Amino acid sequence: DVNNNPANPVINVRAWGEDPATAGALATAFLRGVQAEGVLSCAKHFPGHGDTSSDSHLTLPLLAHSRERLAAIELPPFQQAIAAGVASVMTAHLMLPALDGERPATLSKPVLTGLLRRELGFEGLIVTDALVMDAITGRYGAGEAAVLALEAGADLVLMPADAGAAIAAIAAALQGGRLDREQLEASAERRRRALAGLGAGAPSASRPDPEAAAQPDQALALELVRATLEASPRGERPSQPGVNLIRLDSALAAPFLPATAPAVAKPEAQGWRTVLVEGRSPSPWSGLAEAPLALERLGPGPVLLQLFVRGNPFRGSANSAEPWPAALRQLAACGRLAGLVVYGSPYLWDQLQPLLPQGIAGVYSPGQMPLAQAEALARLGMGEDGKQNIFTT
């Protein structure tokens, strides 16, 4: 997907890039690496979900672009993936009137058979996106959706709302002549060919053992983390430690943030108190639009904001409703903003970075893992030995 719409609530940081060239180049590099190790890869969501303003998990998005626009923006990365030998393509639950004014792409023969199979020459597996999503279930029964997907040219039907009903409907459609047996046999053959190719590129015995291979992998990981960090100038040292305010979706679903994670351990080593904010949990919020943080609940001292934010396609908002711009202004206005680190969302960083007052440091990292945390805090001035303050003197 070409995520050229920053307000997209479903693709967001799940895309490789915001222009066709970037998305195509990185997607094909990834699929070559994956398939070289004997794993089937999948290009999704065909013919392109990057410029939608609604979430297909919740509703049926409309992409009202012309065929010429689709050929210029949405289709090129898929064409590159097909040329690179991608094993499968997943469909998108969205309406494209320029291609089919009646049915969403997942259930559209003009899209799957006409465009993907015939015009683009894709010979691999066509896989539906999950049919349990509201874009489909809100309009079609589980059985009818499965039959329509196969009629349209899909090879694999993924996650129908009712598997039993879907199987029964497919069997009835085949017996009644609605589904063509030769077409289904061709789909079964594509599946057999795909499975037969699994493991063909798997590591051989002559390759290095995992422990030996880990060292260059770790070096590359460090290089990538450092290359993708963005930072504003370092800030001034606070007169005292304060609150290390960490935002995350859920402490129970945050493997990147164990108790020893740098985002927690490094500030605490300097006397900062960690406060966790889980999404829109009520404890730190005042309910006021212009001053959303209840500062008396946080306790005294300067506040270091560390925000772990990524697009959440099942939320339909990509966390855009959280009042962090107002919170940052509030802290800056009362002189309590010590610094900012954004992990994950370039959109939130682009929104907050211009709001940083002069002399207040900020760092952005697309990664959220401990390595990224350590490097981000190092950019704020915290050394590996933990003895340096996270701010300049």
Side-chain angles (χ1 to χ4, degrees), residues 90-179:
M90 179 177 282
T91 66
H93 298 334
L94 50 82
M95 292 295 300
L96 298 106
L99 301 177
D100 189 334
E102 182 181 355
R103 291 175 181 161
T106 293
L107 310 180
S108 170
K109 191 166 186 176
V111 174
L112 302 191
T113 298
L115 176 58
L116 180 55
R117 191 70 80 194
R118 294 174 182 166
E119 292 187 40
L120 301 187
F122 179 60
E123 297 180 353
L125 287 167
I126 298 178
V127 186
T128 73
D129 204 344
L131 297 184
V132 73
M133 292 162 60
D134 286 351
I136 300 298
T137 59
R139 290 159 179 79
Y140 305 91
E144 180 66 7
V147 172
L148 286 173
L150 293 174
E151 277 188 315
D155 298 307
L156 300 180
V157 173
L158 177 66
M159 291 178 65
D162 183 330
I167 292 170
I170 292 169
L174 179 60
Q175 292 171 357
R178 181 179 173 186
L179 286 176

Side-chain angles (χ1 to χ4, degrees), residues 14-355:
R14 301 165 69 204
W16 283 114
E18 299 176 344
D19 63 84
T22 301
L26 294 178
T28 52
F30 180 81
L31 77 89
R32 287 191 179 104
V34 166
Q35 295 190 172
E37 296 300 314
V39 178
L40 301 180
S41 62
C42 182
K44 66 179 191 177
H45 308 79
F46 185 84
H49 210 319
D51 195 16
T52 58
S53 57
S54 56
D55 185 344
S56 53
H57 294 91
L58 309 175
T59 187
L60 181 62
L62 171 69
L63 198 61
H65 296 311
S66 67
R67 176 61 193 267
E68 291 72 24
R69 151 60 197 253
L70 295 173
I73 303 295
E74 277 76 18
L75 295 181
F78 289 98
Q79 291 172 295
Q80 286 183 255
I82 291 169
V86 68
S88 63
V89 171
M90 179 177 282
T91 66
H93 298 334
L94 50 82
M95 292 295 300
L96 298 106
L99 301 177
D100 189 334
E102 182 181 355
R103 291 175 181 161
T106 293
L107 310 180
S108 170
K109 191 166 186 176
V111 174
L112 302 191
T113 298
L115 176 58
L116 180 55
R117 191 70 80 194
R118 294 174 182 166
E119 292 187 40
L120 301 187
F122 179 60
E123 297 180 353
L125 287 167
I126 298 178
V127 186
T128 73
D129 204 344
L131 297 184
V132 73
M133 292 162 60
D134 286 351
I136 300 298
T137 59
R139 290 159 179 79
Y140 305 91
E144 180 66 7
V147 172
L148 286 173
L150 293 174
E151 277 188 315
D155 298 307
L156 300 180
V157 173
L158 177 66
M159 291 178 65
D162 183 330
I167 292 170
I170 292 169
L174 179 60
Q175 292 171 357
R178 181 179 173 186
L179 286 176
D180 180 71
R181 179 175 290 275
E182 290 186 2
Q183 179 182 329
L184 298 185
E185 289 291 352
S187 292
E189 178 57 29
R190 291 188 191 97
R191 180 177 181 276
R192 283 191 288 269
R193 287 202 306 267
L195 294 178
L198 284 175
S204 66
S206 62
R207 295 190 184 183
D209 63 69
E211 291 187 5
Q215 293 181 353
D217 288 346
Q218 292 167 357
L220 176 60
L222 180 60
E223 178 184 354
L224 292 173
V225 165
R226 288 176 173 173
T228 54
L229 285 178
E230 297 181 26
S232 62
R234 287 186 178 183
E236 299 178 358
R237 176 177 179 173
S239 59
Q240 61 181 350
V243 180
N244 177 30
L245 186 58
I246 297 178
R247 181 266 178 224
L248 67 163
D249 281 328
S250 169
L252 298 178
F256 52 83
L257 200 70
T260 57
V264 176
K266 286 186 176 292
E268 286 186 351
Q270 301 298 318
W272 293 72
R273 306 183 311 278
T274 298
V275 175
L276 296 181
V277 180
E278 299 189 30
R280 291 300 306 271
S281 57
S283 55
W285 303 111
S286 68
L288 302 176
E290 295 302 316
L293 288 176
L295 297 181
E296 69 280 0
R297 297 176 189 165
L298 294 180
V303 178
L304 170 64
L305 285 181
Q306 297 195 73
L307 308 180
F308 291 84
V309 176
R310 292 181 66 83
N312 187 333
F314 298 100
R315 185 166 292 163
S317 67
N319 302 306
S320 60
E322 294 181 15
W324 292 113
L328 193 145
R329 292 191 188 96
Q330 175 189 6
L331 291 170
C334 65
R336 292 190 59 180
L337 180 63
L340 169 71
V341 187
V342 175
Y343 301 97
S345 173
Y347 303 107
L348 184 62
W349 170 248
D350 289 345
Q351 190 179 22
L352 297 183
Q353 194 270 340
L355 303 179

